[in-house]
Amino acid sequence: MTALIVCHFVLAAFARPLVRRLGRRAFAVLALPPAAATVWAATQWNTAASGSAVTWSWRWMPAYDVTVALRFDALAELMVLLAAGIGTLVLLYCASYFTDETPQLAGFAGNLLAFAGAMLALVLADDLISLYVFWELTTVFSFLLIGYDSEQKHSRRSALQALTVTTLGGLAMFVGFLILGQSAGTYRISAILADPPRATLAVSVAVVLILCGALSKSAIWPFSLWLPNAMAAPTPVSAYLHAAAMVKAGVYLVARLAPGFADVPVWRPVVIVLGAATMLLGGWRALRLNDLKLVLAYGTVSQLGFLTLLAGAGNRDTALAAAVMILAHALFKAPLFLVTGIVDHAAGTRDLRRLSGVGRALPHVCSVAVLAAASMAALPPLLGFAAKEAAFEALLEGSTADRWALGVTVAGSALTVAYTLRFVWGAFCRKPGAEDTPVHRVGWAFLAPPALLALCGLVLGPGVGWMDRLFSAYADAFEPSAHPYHLALWHGFGTALLLSAVAATGGVLLFLGRAGVTRLSRRIAWRSADSVFGHLLLGLERLSLQLTGFVQRGSLSGYLATTLLVMLAGQLTVLVMDRPWHTAAAPRIWDLPLQGAVAVLTCAAALLCLTVRRRMKAVVLAGLTGYGAALLFVVQGGPDLALTQFCVETVSMIVFVLVLRRMPVHFQEPVSTWRRAVRIPVALAAAATLGVVVWVAAAARKADSAGAAMVEEVSHHGLKDVVATILVDLRSWDTMGESAVLAAAAVGVTSLIYLHRRTEESSPRDEVRGRTAWSLTANGMTGLPHGDEGAPERGWLAAGSTLAPEHRSVVFEVVARLLFHPVLVLSLYLLFCAENMPGGGFVAGLVAGLALITRYLAGGRFELAEAAPLQPGLFTGLGLFLSTGVALLGLADGTVLHAWTHHGRLPLIGEYHIGTPILFDFGVYLLVLGVVLDIVRALGAKIDRQIERAAAEATAAAPPRPAPGTGGTPG
């Protein structure tokens, strides 16, 4: 099972080269994975029909009970045959539907195959979390498929609408999954259904939330607005997503959970009422539309309501009817969509008012459409008739609510017959007073997929008894009925057959009176759901703009004060209501008096920040608070934390200084006395509250510290540095995520500086040769006496001569030259000794970054370019790639990164060992180095360039100065 799922995604990744080489014929290659899944499912028919199941599970993280589980049973057999079988035919259909010149064909092909893989995994998932992951994957791929023609505004809007509706429902469903999993004590679906939790309030809430996700996915009212608009997608997408795949996911989930939760009080009212309402509203709307795809779309909405009603009714016979109806619906709706695509392709329009005589011009296409339409209208001897008979019979024998639903179902069936006749008449019949629509011939390969599906509906009608064993294996999960229903095409004359005749007659009458029905439908001034959705979005946008304008006033101090006040209110409320200090131990002020002295000095520096007016002084005082915290780490015995804090604080202060070059010396915002009187108490109160909260949290600990287990785990592997090992081994996924956030933040910050390009127009080395630096003296003069320009001069730095003499510091250049390489060696030492000594990739990267910063401060941006000629993005990307790749190796055992370790001995160095944690740390090293270099180039070198240009423009705009010794203008 896993191989089949993986093959879908792997081949989808190679869709672009396949399409580039084979053109539209690549769809035949891409159809191989779903074809293989179809064949495999067919070989498992007897296993599923006997009530057995094929299972597979992988204990990904045993310590956290995280398992990926798949299960193939009777219901999964049905859904796999639909998702994979129809997916195969749709992909083959695409080879005739598209041309080699179709734009973005490769992306479309890959997305369609990946969607098929996600749908296959969804119906096989036996774990709530896994099911949700693949559920959202189908949402994402459907968004890409619906918005395929992204140049059209309607396509973009339809894709966004489908994504919004289904994602919101999916989030609600995810919360329901979490509640249900906690209530049941497991997230394994088969285990939950085997022993459902009691119908408590939590379970009822979970059921409602799960139904929100299922109903939104299957376009059940009030979530039905997105499906008709999704017809903006190409016809193969409509045929697959809206007949066999995506919209069936919600029905599948209802059918999967119904055996365990149909007796929960909120289940049946929600499912039956909304399903019945959707069936009537969708069918009624389909009677007055003129676009063939929209007629089928609203017909799909109506049929989905019917399927949801049957699947959620919660008894054995309705479940049996739901299973066969799911199959019948896919076998008639998919070919009808595909035929619509053929008609549109051949005639150039889908407007039934402009189509006339197409049936005579395309008789084979018309025959396929009539065959599928007859199954949709539930005419014998097709599968749709047998499914509708089973539904009527099951509802007849059900409860009072089921009989009420039966009346709605008969009315909905009449509407189905009416819009089916309207579709066939509009697409193929000759209209009075209208000329025949010119069409071109259709090849057999184009017609074969819908013809095969329609023939399946014809063959499986008389042969519906062959599937009774499979569908009964699913239906027997419900309470057994006294007289269980069995599938057959003919059950004799009875009430069900009479109701079928009434529905067919009513549908014919509605079609014959279609003009009056259309006028009546349009006279009822109902606002469409799409219009309501648009007005809601517009209102939400206006509200957000007004709210943003009210709270976002541009005052950073105001934002900070608001944040602190909210934190104060929340924490003080908890402290007052719970009074946790009664159970907390007495506070210990310090372990050593030196800690108190450092804390007092740090607090003094922080308090002085409240009164300063100069920006540089504020930066220095804020830096002192950081250094004070680092000293506390030193005194407390945390060298790793202290070393990191020192490096971070140093880099931060340098970055602040670089930024301050372009800012006024003093704070420009006027601060009145009363505002300062408000700010200071708020700041002090926030600090005091946070201190109390930290003390209470630390003193109220009841469980054993997790550090002891981590120390034991680290000692077991013969390592000494617990902190570094935790970061790169035990919790490497956290570190990888934090590294990714750091890289994204650096890209965002530097992008604000590089407005146009992240690379310079000319290389710094070329500028050095051309003497174009702003810091050079005017006209390229060195400032030496005339005749001494060629005198030998000691160059301590590679680009030191680019600075003007008044900007140079020989002492600084010498120190930078002497310290640069030792500091780089120190950074490598900190990197490789991290397992047993203080260090690690993060602090090592910061140290290496400080070495480059020293070169920049001593020699300017040209010196930085000489010291680091490569682009910072190369370091950042390579580091993130290396860390991610090594972290993925940890999936081998799901716990730690000890996937590979090598021991050896080197001359002079002695014994050594290197493993994947070291490689992971090296990736962090490169990433941090790239981030520091990128920030320095953005806030240092880039701002230098801006200053140079401003100075050059000012010099060019200034009037020429008179030569020395000349007078003014002649009198």
Side-chain angles (χ1 to χ4, degrees), residues 582-603:
H582 290 300
T583 57
R588 187 170 55 187
I589 300 178
W590 57 61
D591 293 323
L592 296 172
L594 183 58
Q595 292 176 330
V598 174
V600 169
L601 294 176
T602 303
C603 292

Side-chain angles (χ1 to χ4, degrees), residues 267 387 892 898:
W267 177 279
H898 285 294

Side-chain angles (χ1 to χ4, degrees), residues 538-594:
L538 182 60
L540 182 61
E541 182 179 357
R542 289 176 177 174
L543 177 62
S544 63
L545 289 175
Q546 293 176 357
L547 186 61
T548 302
F550 177 75
V551 299
Q552 300 293 324
R553 297 293 186 178
S555 174
L556 181 60
S557 59
Y559 302 154
L560 184 58
T562 302
T563 303
L564 293 178
L565 288 174
V566 172
M567 186 272 291
L568 277 172
Q571 296 295 337
L572 289 176
T573 301
V574 173
L575 291 175
V576 172
M577 298 299 294
D578 292 346
R579 299 184 179 183
W581 54 80
H582 290 300
T583 57
R588 187 170 55 187
I589 300 178
W590 57 61
D591 293 323
L592 296 172
L594 183 58

Side-chain angles (χ1 to χ4, degrees), residues 36 83 151 225 251 369 535 552 581 646 749 809 912 927 954:
E151 295 182 359
L225 71 158
V251 176
H535 283 83
Q552 300 293 324
W581 54 80
F646 277 123
V749 170
S809 172
Y912 74 92
L927 186 145

Side-chain angles (χ1 to χ4, degrees), residues 183-256:
S183 300
T186 178
Y187 288 91
R188 185 70 66 89
I189 298 175
S190 56
I192 294 174
L193 296 179
D195 185 19
R198 294 186 303 106
T200 60
L201 177 61
V203 172
S204 298
V205 172
V207 165
V208 172
L209 293 174
I210 293 172
L211 288 178
C212 283
L215 300 182
S216 65
K217 197 78 163 182
S218 289
I220 303 301
W221 189 89
F223 307 107
S224 55
L225 71 158
W226 70 265
L227 191 149
N229 286 334
M231 293 301 111
T235 299
V237 175
S238 303
Y240 187 50
L241 271 67
H242 306 143
M246 178 177 176
V247 296
K248 288 289 174 57
V251 176
Y252 162 77
L253 185 59
V254 172
R256 174 63 75 188

Side-chain angles (χ1 to χ4, degrees), residues 262-583:
D263 293 331
V264 175
V266 297
W267 177 279
R268 284 192 177 90
V270 172
V271 171
I272 294 178
V273 172
L274 294 182
T278 304
M279 186 178 187
L280 295 178
L281 292 174
W284 177 257
R285 187 71 186 274
L287 295 180
R288 67 179 183 90
L289 298 171
N290 299 314
D291 188 314
L292 294 178
K293 282 184 70 174
L294 286 180
V295 172
L296 293 178
Y298 279 99
T300 300
V301 171
S302 178
Q303 293 288 324
L304 289 171
F306 184 32
L307 290 173
T308 303
L309 186 153
L310 292 176
N315 60 69
R316 189 252 179 209
D317 290 344
T318 54
L320 182 68
V324 69
M325 193 67 199
I326 289 173
L327 176 62
H329 176 262
L331 292 180
F332 63 66
K333 191 55 66 72
L336 287 175
F337 272 118
L338 297 178
V339 164
T340 301
I342 294 175
V343 171
D344 188 15
H345 204 275
T349 181
R350 298 194 306 261
D351 192 336
L352 58 83
R353 296 168 297 185
R354 298 172 56 189
L355 294 169
S356 180
V358 177
R360 292 191 176 188
L362 302 174
H364 298 94
V365 176
C366 180
S367 299
V368 172
V370 169
L371 196 61
S375 182
M376 184 165 68
L379 299 181
L382 291 114
L383 182 60
F385 171 76
K388 191 66 69 66
E389 289 286 292
F392 285 167
E393 192 68 39
L395 294 175
L396 273 171
E397 300 298 328
S399 62
T400 303
D402 291 342
R403 295 192 189 96
W404 174 85
L406 175 63
V408 176
T409 301
V410 173
S413 300
L415 294 173
T416 302
V417 173
Y419 65 69
T420 300
L421 292 172
R422 191 166 189 269
F423 172 84
V424 175
W425 166 80
F428 299 102
C429 293
R430 178 172 289 172
K431 313 297 191 304
E435 296 182 358
D436 286 356
T437 305
V439 298
H440 62 74
R441 298 181 62 83
V442 177
W444 66 269
F446 205 0
L447 186 59
L452 181 59
L453 291 172
L455 286 175
C456 287
L458 176 62
V459 172
L460 292 178
V464 68
W466 304 339
M467 297 177 293
D468 182 75
R469 189 161 151 261
L470 176 69
F471 296 154
S472 295
Y474 159 68
D476 289 341
F478 295 85
E479 291 291 332
S481 58
H483 304 286
Y485 185 86
H486 292 281
L487 296 175
L489 178 64
W490 180 253
H491 283 273
F493 294 98
T495 306
L497 183 62
L498 176 62
L499 293 176
S500 296
V502 169
T505 304
V508 172
L509 293 177
L510 285 173
F511 171 72
L512 295 176
R514 56 188 177 276
V517 171
T518 302
R519 287 194 300 270
L520 176 62
S521 177
R522 292 176 177 172
R523 189 174 299 172
I524 301 175
W526 288 348
R527 175 170 288 183
S528 66
D530 187 58
S531 175
V532 173
F533 179 80
H535 283 83
L536 286 176
L537 285 185
L538 182 60
L540 182 61
E541 182 179 357
R542 289 176 177 174
L543 177 62
S544 63
L545 289 175
Q546 293 176 357
L547 186 61
T548 302
F550 177 75
V551 299
Q552 300 293 324
R553 297 293 186 178
S555 174
L556 181 60
S557 59
Y559 302 154
L560 184 58
T562 302
T563 303
L564 293 178
L565 288 174
V566 172
M567 186 272 291
L568 277 172
Q571 296 295 337
L572 289 176
T573 301
V574 173
L575 291 175
V576 172
M577 298 299 294
D578 292 346
R579 299 184 179 183
W581 54 80
H582 290 300
T583 57

